[in-house]
Amino acid sequence: MSAANATLSAVQARRRRPPAPVPEEHEFGRLELLLRLRRNPLTIWRARHFREPIVAGEGLFGYGVVVSDPEVVRHVLVENAANYRKDDLQRTVLAPGLGEGLLTAEGDAWKRARRTLAPLFTPRSVTALAQRMVAPAEKTAERMARRRGGRIVDISADMTRVTYDILAETMFSNAIAGGADAFGKALTRYFETQGRIDPLDVLGAPSWLPRIGRWMARPAISFFEAQVKAIIAERQALHAGGTWRPEKPDLLDALLAARDPETGTGLSDAEVGANIVTFIGAGHETTANALTWSLYLISLAPDVREALEAEIDAAGDDLAAAALSGSRLALTRAVIEEAMRLYPPVPSLSRTALADDATGACFIPKGALVVVSPYLLHRHETLWQAPDRFRPERFLPGAREAISRFAYLPFGAGPRICIGQQFAMIEAVIVLATLLRRLQFEHAGEEAPVPVQRITLRPGKGMPMRVATRSPAR
Ligand code: HEM
């Protein structure tokens, strides 16, 4: 076989089964489990997790129930959501950076924050923000097009940058005190260090024992806190001086003006700050990973790429309007949804049961750790045909309606569903369409990328790609 043919057949094999850890049949001992959790939590799932709707038993975290039965998922996340709180491990990993922002708040504080913040992300608000997403997307396409042909770049860094630029634009009208680059770097460092599960947390060691990851993340967190305070103070001064006259209000203005509809009270400065960091933390790597995996999967499937190019070329010049139309970029949207099925940016949701609970044949005792893993659900043998294959047509209108609501959960479900869901989908469609209108991407790594879970699900060693302008160039 020639070298070119060998490469082609490797690509075809990857299209049939895009890379993912092959689940083991055998049980793991405690030490092996701990090491797997530390290195890549995706590898703790065994073959039975992809076959069985419920897997329960004693584990590292005490009694645990892994739920992949859509009816039980509905029960836990929606019908009886009040019986489940976010588990302590998740809070320990996330809380130091995100403070009492919406993602990590609980109880009454969460309810009040959710009521107050909901208007920021209604379809109407997102429609108003969509036009602001176009310029950063175009700037990214322009930057990538200017690079010399044939050069290999890590596109995961470009995607992290563009989602960050879009947040900086929609949130602060790009007015970041101290510079956007330093802020973006601190954020990446936070995810690199803080995002790893520390064995000490798994073993329930007291919080005063130093965790290496948290220690390394400390400078990044302090930097954030100082930056965010400066941004809020600067905006408040502009408001007070009557000199802030933006064409359209941004998310920071909306946060400062937000009022609890029940009590009429606004957010404290600390809450505004925690939610800014939360929106960036929750909305930046996640969307970037969805885009990175989408571009990778498209590079494996020339037929999908050609169909996408045709759809995007026919969508008109105003890609924000096309993205909002819901139908003009249907395949673009379907590719992103399929990429998030195979590589869900948030691969695992976990809760602790506050009291005994039972649904169907499933009994969940008080104190149990309940795991709903989008990664498992999305590849579960009982819920999908050819679950490991890239088939974006599953999500096209006509087919999508057949997918069970609780078998596909990239944004979670129930009261704690992602508040930024519409924002993220519109953003991802606009960015993908803007890039594919001008550029083509070819995977250039010697080996297939390895999906690794670090809070979000990302390619372990980046995503090297050769980027070329489309011919004829647009
Ligand atoms: C593709 C992109 C995204 C994905 C896959 C995603 C996924 C999720 C998931 C699964 C949850 C629920 C977690 C749980 O139930 O434990 C969540 C919550 C949340 N997300 Fe997103 N997200 C994305 C983008 C965004 C964006 C763009 C923002 C904001 C600008 C955002 C802000 C939040 C917040 C604040 C929460 C907490 C909501 C609450 O607890 O009330 N996310 N996200």
Side-chain angles (χ1 to χ4, degrees):
M1 200 189 297
S2 73
N5 281 347
T7 310
L8 190 65
S9 62
V11 168
Q12 281 163 350
R14 282 180 210 162
R15 175 164 190 198
R16 279 196 291 278
R17 189 183 185 286
V22 178
E24 307 271 1
E25 289 287 347
H26 70 272
E27 290 232 13
F28 306 131
R30 283 178 79 83
L31 183 63
E32 185 176 3
L33 204 52
L34 207 56
L35 287 175
R36 283 172 178 262
L37 263 177
R38 172 91 183 142
R39 280 192 204 123
N40 183 5
L42 282 190
T43 62
I44 65 167
W45 305 123
R46 289 178 290 125
R48 64 180 292 214
H49 289 105
F50 295 86
R51 279 195 302 258
E52 297 174 24
I54 306 283
V55 179
E58 283 299 327
L60 284 176
F61 309 92
Y63 189 78
V65 186
V66 181
V67 175
S68 304
D69 174 333
E71 278 314 306
V72 183
V73 171
R74 181 209 303 269
H75 179 83
V76 168
L77 293 183
V78 185
E79 280 152 15
N80 202 17
N83 187 46
Y84 297 90
R85 57 169 276 159
K86 293 205 171 183
D87 73 286
D88 291 338
L89 183 66
Q90 205 181 151
R91 286 176 54 80
T92 323
V93 172
L94 292 173
L98 306 184
E100 280 303 296
L102 190 61
L103 188 68
T104 38
E106 280 290 344
D108 286 343
W110 169 78
K111 273 193 198 142
R112 196 173 68 79
R114 183 91 195 194
R115 281 197 305 262
T116 312
L117 298 176
L120 273 66
F121 292 99
T122 58
R124 198 155 151 239
S125 310
V126 172
T127 300
L129 294 171
Q131 284 296 346
R132 287 179 163 230
M133 299 175 179
V134 173
E138 273 174 354
K139 224 171 69 193
T140 304
E142 184 62 42
R143 200 179 54 236
M144 293 177 109
R146 269 203 315 268
R147 289 187 186 131
R148 254 180 307 134
R151 211 174 115 200
I152 295 171
V153 289
D154 176 6
I155 60 131
S156 67
D158 287 298
M159 295 307 104
T160 305
R161 176 72 197 265
V162 69
T163 54
Y164 173 70
D165 286 349
I166 287 177
L167 276 169
E169 174 60 31
T170 52
M171 197 126 80
F172 316 119
S173 303
N174 227 345
I176 297 181
D181 274 357
F183 195 71
K185 273 190 196 125
L187 194 78
T188 309
R189 187 162 172 74
Y190 166 73
F191 270 94
E192 274 297 330
T193 47
Q194 185 75 4
R196 276 187 187 229
I197 290 175
D198 196 297
L200 290 175
D201 288 324
V202 178
L203 298 171
S207 55
W208 48 263
L209 264 181
R211 269 64 162 176
I212 185 100
R214 213 147 313 138
W215 179 69
M216 286 166 74
R218 206 52 248 169
I221 293 172
S222 311
F223 183 78
F224 272 169
E225 287 168 353
Q227 286 282 93
V228 167
K229 267 193 193 149
I231 292 168
I232 298 171
E234 200 174 65
R235 179 66 60 89
Q236 282 168 332
L238 288 173
H239 277 293
T243 48
W244 179 248
R245 298 201 201 295
E247 265 175 49
K248 288 187 191 130
D250 54 21
L251 282 170
L252 176 54
D253 282 337
L255 269 170
L256 291 170
R259 295 287 173 268
D260 179 346
E262 286 184 16
T263 63
T265 47
L267 301 168
S268 67
D269 283 2
E271 285 169 319
V272 171
N275 281 302
I276 288 176
V277 178
T278 295
F279 294 161
I280 300 180
H284 155 258
E285 286 282 338
T286 43
T287 318
N289 285 325
L291 284 162
T292 299
W293 288 111
S294 297
L295 287 169
Y296 172 69
L297 289 165
I298 295 165
S299 80
L300 300 181
D303 53 335
V304 174
R305 192 197 61 201
E306 280 163 24
L308 277 170
E309 288 173 354
E311 175 179 89
I312 292 162
D313 290 349
D317 284 339
D318 186 347
L319 287 181
L324 289 165
S325 76
S327 57
R328 271 191 279 155
L329 290 171
L331 181 60
T332 312
R333 196 182 170 93
V335 165
I336 295 162
E337 294 204 284
E338 175 71 342
M340 290 198 296
R341 182 185 71 79
L342 286 165
Y343 302 107
V346 179
S348 183
L349 312 176
S350 44
R351 302 286 192 265
T352 303
L354 298 174
D356 284 356
D357 190 17
T359 174
C362 180
F363 174 71
I364 301 174
K366 177 180 175 184
L369 174 76
V370 180
V371 176
V372 176
S373 160
Y375 182 77
L376 278 181
L377 266 178
H378 295 180
R379 291 173 179 259
H380 208 273
E381 289 170 21
T382 61
L383 300 174
W384 303 87
Q385 273 186 356
D388 291 328
R389 298 207 183 178
F390 174 53
R391 289 190 180 165
E393 54 280 14
R394 303 174 204 267
F395 287 96
L396 284 176
R400 200 194 189 296
E401 297 73 25
I403 297 172
S404 157
R405 167 67 189 93
F406 294 92
Y408 182 65
L409 291 182
F411 295 101
R416 308 252 5 192
I417 194 170
C418 177
I419 201 168
Q421 173 173 359
Q422 276 89 3
F423 181 104
M425 279 313 296
I426 292 295
E427 174 187 7
V429 171
I430 290 175
V431 173
L432 193 59
T434 306
L435 296 179
L436 295 180
R437 190 155 66 165
R438 296 187 58 180
L439 303 165
Q440 274 182 5
F441 296 81
E442 185 194 340
H443 183 244
E446 279 175 17
E447 286 161 20
V450 177
V452 174
Q453 179 175 348
R454 292 264 176 279
I455 303 185
T456 58
L457 197 160
R458 50 168 69 180
K461 292 186 182 155
M463 188 65 84
M465 286 202 147
R466 200 169 280 113
V467 184
T469 42
R470 266 177 70 190
S471 48
R474 292 205 13 136

